[in-house]
Amino acid sequence: LPTIVYAFCCHVNVFSIFTALHRPTIRRMNRVAYGACTIAVVLYLVLAYAGLSEYGRELQEDILSNLGHRTVVTGMIQLLMAVNIGLCFPMNVYPSRFTIEMLLFSESKPSAFRGNLISAIFVLSAALIAITLPKITTVFSIIGSTSAVLVSFVLPAAFYIHINTGSIIHLTKEPLASILLIGSVIFGVFATLSSILSTLYPELIESR
């Protein structure tokens, strides 16, 4: 479930996409969101069906591990995947660096050295995590159960309640948003514990 949540965690891109639309309106934004999620679902289902029909019970969490390096085609697929990740990585580093600078150094003058240092810390941290953790699915699972749930469900519900009631503790005045908030917190806690336990004790999952 955390991996599925992460797979559809596109909420953070809504504002930038909305401003890039020609004649941006809520209706047009909804059409873009529905279309993007529909395309994602179709692609995920096609890939899942193809993997299951080809490898059956031997299908691994990362389907690239099943492909191996047996042919030039599989090698090209893995190379293109690496290029894709390499091109997408800067798009995630920049907003993260911008957020940290706004939170911690909003009163300071812009500094190229500070920006490069923050970017270097992000890159080194990502490299260490990639080397330490054996599977990319572990990263997806932990992100899906923590930051994805927080950004996509917990914070929007909390902001909505606070804006409409003046306080986040007035849950009874906004029952639907309160259900989303409480349910998301509970799901995030249990999903995070599940992700951590499956990482520390993989034999528990394999024995099922």
Side-chain angles (χ1 to χ4, degrees):
L1 283 179
T3 305
I4 295 175
V5 172
Y6 177 74
F8 291 97
C9 184
C10 52
H11 308 59
V12 294
N13 299 316
V14 168
F15 298 107
S16 58
I17 295 175
F18 182 82
T19 56
L21 287 176
H22 181 60
R23 297 194 308 273
T25 61
I26 299 298
R27 184 176 181 181
R28 290 171 65 86
M29 187 65 229
N30 287 337
R31 291 171 59 187
V32 172
Y34 295 148
C37 290
T38 301
I39 293 173
V41 169
V42 172
L43 292 177
Y44 291 150
L45 290 176
V46 170
L47 183 61
Y49 176 78
L52 285 173
S53 61
E54 178 68 22
Y55 299 105
R57 291 183 174 274
E58 296 183 358
L59 178 65
Q60 301 184 35
E61 294 177 337
D62 184 1
I63 193 172
L64 295 179
S65 301
N66 287 101
L67 297 177
H69 305 280
R70 293 171 292 182
T71 65
V72 177
V73 175
T74 56
M76 288 298 298
I77 292 174
Q78 293 176 337
L79 177 62
L80 291 174
M81 187 66 181
V83 171
N84 178 58
I85 294 174
L87 293 176
C88 292
F89 190 78
M91 299 177 64
N92 292 302
V93 170
Y94 175 75
S96 302
R97 186 186 72 184
F98 179 79
T99 302
I100 289 179
E101 290 195 359
M102 289 297 100
L103 289 174
L104 302 180
F105 308 102
S106 58
E107 303 298 329
S108 304
K109 294 182 179 179
S111 171
F113 173 78
R114 183 176 64 238
N116 293 333
L117 179 61
I118 296 173
S119 298
I121 292 173
F122 272 116
V123 173
L124 291 176
S125 300
L128 290 175
I129 292 173
I131 294 172
T132 304
L133 295 177
K135 304 177 188 176
I136 188 62
T137 51
T138 303
V139 179
F140 290 158
S141 179
I142 294 176
I143 293 177
S145 60
T146 54
S147 60
V149 172
L150 181 67
V151 172
S152 302
F153 301 102
V154 176
L155 291 180
F159 291 155
Y160 181 84
I161 295 172
H162 186 274
I163 291 173
N164 288 316
T165 66
S167 174
I168 195 175
I169 62 175
H170 295 158
L171 300 180
T172 56
K173 295 183 179 180
E174 295 291 343
L176 295 180
S178 301
I179 293 173
L180 177 61
L181 175 62
I182 297 173
S184 300
V185 171
I186 295 174
F187 172 81
V189 171
F190 280 99
T192 302
L193 291 175
S194 175
S195 301
I196 294 174
L197 289 175
S198 63
T199 302
L200 298 177
Y201 306 101
E203 63 274 7
L204 296 177
I205 306 299
E206 296 175 357
S207 61
R208 294 182 179 179

